[in-house]
Amino acid sequence: MVSMLLVGRIGKSVGLNGGLKLHLESDFPECLKKGVKVSVAPLNAFSYVSSFKEYIIHSYEHAKNLLFLETIHTPEKAKELTNLGLFMSEAESKKLCVLKDGEFFYCDLVGLSVVEENEILGKVIEIQRISQIDYFLVETARSLIEKGLAKIFLIPYRDFYIKEILLQDKKITTNNAKTLLENS
């Protein structure tokens, strides 16, 4: 099964030529190039491959967050896509997006263990962006839940909390994250 990544949320139609306002969920707008294949589906469609409809990008204006798809040329057709998600396959995303040192694809971080001072606090189950800050949504380790701590907590993706991300070891080492858990 093809793994799909959410690139953005499609907003209102713009103009007479089928333009779409795109609310980016990705840090890599350079992936939105002419000729790139994308899929559109309801935001809850991650597990329903049959609900994805494929399109080809005609153009993307980053400054205006304005997306044009090759077969969408009227406001009426564009309105049919309002409030849907824009997705790209994980393989296509990784092919088109060049990461700098210390940058990661969110899909590679989900599932990693969160460790502080050799104690496993839990594992990352999702990454959320709130007011331009990314947060790891962490499912707390059972042993800590049994001690009365919260089942789920958030860790800001900031140097104050995130010490190191070790993909090869499948873990994220933290500072001060246990305090967040204890106060959740």
Side-chain angles (χ1 to χ4, degrees), residues 114-131:
V114 176
V115 179
E116 187 163 302
E117 297 178 5
N118 294 320
E119 179 180 23
I120 296 174
L121 303 181
K123 73 174 184 176
V124 177
I125 58 173
E126 188 179 331
I127 299 174
Q128 297 180 350
R129 179 168 289 165
I130 304 169
S131 296

Side-chain angles (χ1 to χ4, degrees), residues 6-162:
L6 179 65
V7 175
R9 299 167 193 271
I10 298 173
K12 66 181 183 176
S13 66
V14 178
L16 299 174
N17 297 322
L20 296 159
K21 189 74 165 174
L22 184 64
H23 305 282
L24 276 178
E25 295 286 330
S26 167
D27 290 331
F28 304 102
E30 64 271 13
C31 291
L32 301 172
K33 300 177 187 174
K34 181 178 179 66
V36 170
K37 184 169 53 172
V38 294
S39 296
V40 174
L43 292 166
N44 62 353
F46 289 105
S47 58
Y48 306 106
V49 175
S50 62
S51 59
F52 286 92
K53 184 163 186 210
E54 290 187 354
Y55 293 92
I56 303 294
I57 294 176
H58 176 70
S59 66
Y60 177 69
E61 296 176 26
H62 179 61
K64 296 178 182 179
N65 288 331
L66 202 52
L67 176 70
F68 292 90
L69 300 172
E70 285 192 358
T71 57
I72 306 297
H73 302 291
T74 66
E76 294 76 25
K77 284 287 189 191
K79 286 177 184 173
E80 293 175 12
L81 304 181
T82 298
N83 295 324
L84 297 177
L86 184 75
F87 297 87
M88 189 178 290
S89 74
E90 183 177 329
E92 186 78 2
S93 296
K94 287 183 174 183
K95 184 174 84 176
L96 293 171
C97 301
V98 179
L99 298 179
K100 296 177 190 152
D101 222 17
E103 290 183 335
F104 305 92
F105 288 104
Y106 287 173
C107 58
D108 292 335
L109 301 178
V110 172
L112 297 185
S113 294
V114 176
V115 179
E116 187 163 302
E117 297 178 5
N118 294 320
E119 179 180 23
I120 296 174
L121 303 181
K123 73 174 184 176
V124 177
I125 58 173
E126 188 179 331
I127 299 174
Q128 297 180 350
R129 179 168 289 165
I130 304 169
S131 296
Q132 301 303 315
I133 297 175
D134 295 324
Y135 290 86
F136 295 130
L137 184 65
V138 179
E139 180 179 54
T140 307
R142 185 175 310 282
S143 61
L144 295 174
I145 294 171
E146 290 170 357
K147 292 180 182 178
L149 296 176
K151 293 179 182 178
I152 294 177
F153 70 107
L154 292 170
I155 303 174
Y157 191 176
R158 295 283 185 248
D159 291 342
F160 184 76
Y161 297 104
I162 306 303

